[in-house]
Amino acid sequence: MTPEEFNNCVDLYADNLYRFILKNVKDIDKAKDIVQDTYEKLWLKVNDVASTNAKSYMFTTAYRTMIDRFRSDSKQERLEDSHLYLHSHTKSYSDLKEILNEAVSRLPDIQRSVVMLRDYEGYNYEEIGQITGLNESQVKVYIFRARKFLKNYIGSKEVVI
């Protein structure tokens, strides 16, 4: 990959990569750090990564960096995070985006990641498997479980609207 192709990758994919990471980590500074680390790792391997594979490489690298951060942060788990499944949404809101973001934030990390890669970023099951290191059937199971949780959490449309 040439420096021009690298710069083109930054222009094309930086926003999508940042949005994906931010939705998962919920911390602007951590998301920026992870994206920066991803581009640094890409720059260090600029001669080894073809420009056609750059997007997949970046999302895979960002995902793995994010998981490493989750693991190091998990030692400092807060009490309210340990009981996520005990809570459900019962208030009536008109802001559907707020409700959806709250529901997605309550998903386990792996389920949140695969749902976001599938529904927000538009990756297919095979691509998600390559990014996360899961096989295609595991990806489908995690997406199914995540969607089932979201459906139960949000409830009926009448309650939300």
Side-chain angles (χ1 to χ4, degrees):
M1 175 184 317
T2 66
E4 293 81 25
E5 291 172 329
F6 176 84
N7 289 335
N8 190 33
C9 286
V10 171
D11 292 339
L12 289 174
Y13 308 125
D15 291 338
N16 291 345
L17 190 63
Y18 175 73
R19 187 176 57 243
F20 168 67
I21 296 300
L22 182 61
K23 275 285 200 190
N24 281 290
V25 298
K26 307 263 186 290
D27 184 330
I28 292 171
D29 294 328
K30 284 182 183 179
K32 287 179 181 178
D33 287 344
I34 291 170
V35 171
Q36 183 67 31
D37 288 349
T38 301
Y39 278 110
E40 179 184 2
K41 290 173 184 176
L42 178 62
W43 181 252
L44 293 173
K45 296 220 176 224
V46 73
N47 294 326
D48 300 333
V49 178
S51 61
T52 56
N53 297 336
K55 182 177 181 182
S56 177
Y57 177 84
M58 290 184 310
F59 271 86
T60 301
T61 303
Y63 174 78
R64 290 182 179 159
T65 302
M66 178 184 65
I67 294 300
D68 289 343
R69 296 272 171 102
F70 282 151
R71 287 180 182 150
S72 66
D73 292 345
S74 69
K75 296 174 185 171
Q76 302 170 0
E77 181 182 355
R78 296 183 314 219
L79 179 60
E80 66 264 15
D81 289 343
S82 63
H83 300 289
L84 292 179
Y85 289 112
L86 299 178
H87 304 287
S88 66
H89 187 275
T90 57
K91 297 178 183 176
S92 178
Y93 286 113
S94 61
D95 189 4
L96 189 57
K97 184 177 179 182
E98 178 185 333
I99 295 168
L100 185 58
N101 286 338
E102 175 65 23
V104 169
S105 72
R106 293 187 177 271
L107 288 170
D109 297 335
I110 187 67
Q111 290 180 9
R112 181 181 328 116
S113 296
V114 295
V115 163
M116 291 188 53
L117 286 169
R118 176 73 179 164
D119 296 335
Y120 283 74
E121 300 299 330
Y123 283 101
N124 64 38
Y125 296 122
E126 183 181 344
E127 292 170 326
I128 295 170
Q130 291 172 353
I131 291 170
T132 59
L134 302 170
N135 65 44
E136 197 171 323
S137 61
Q138 288 174 313
V139 170
K140 290 178 182 179
V141 167
Y142 283 129
I143 289 173
F144 172 79
R145 289 177 182 167
R147 287 178 178 165
K148 185 177 178 181
F149 172 82
L150 292 173
K151 180 181 176 185
N152 290 335
Y153 181 85
I154 293 172
S156 69
K157 290 187 287 188
E158 292 77 27
V159 172
V160 175
I161 299 175

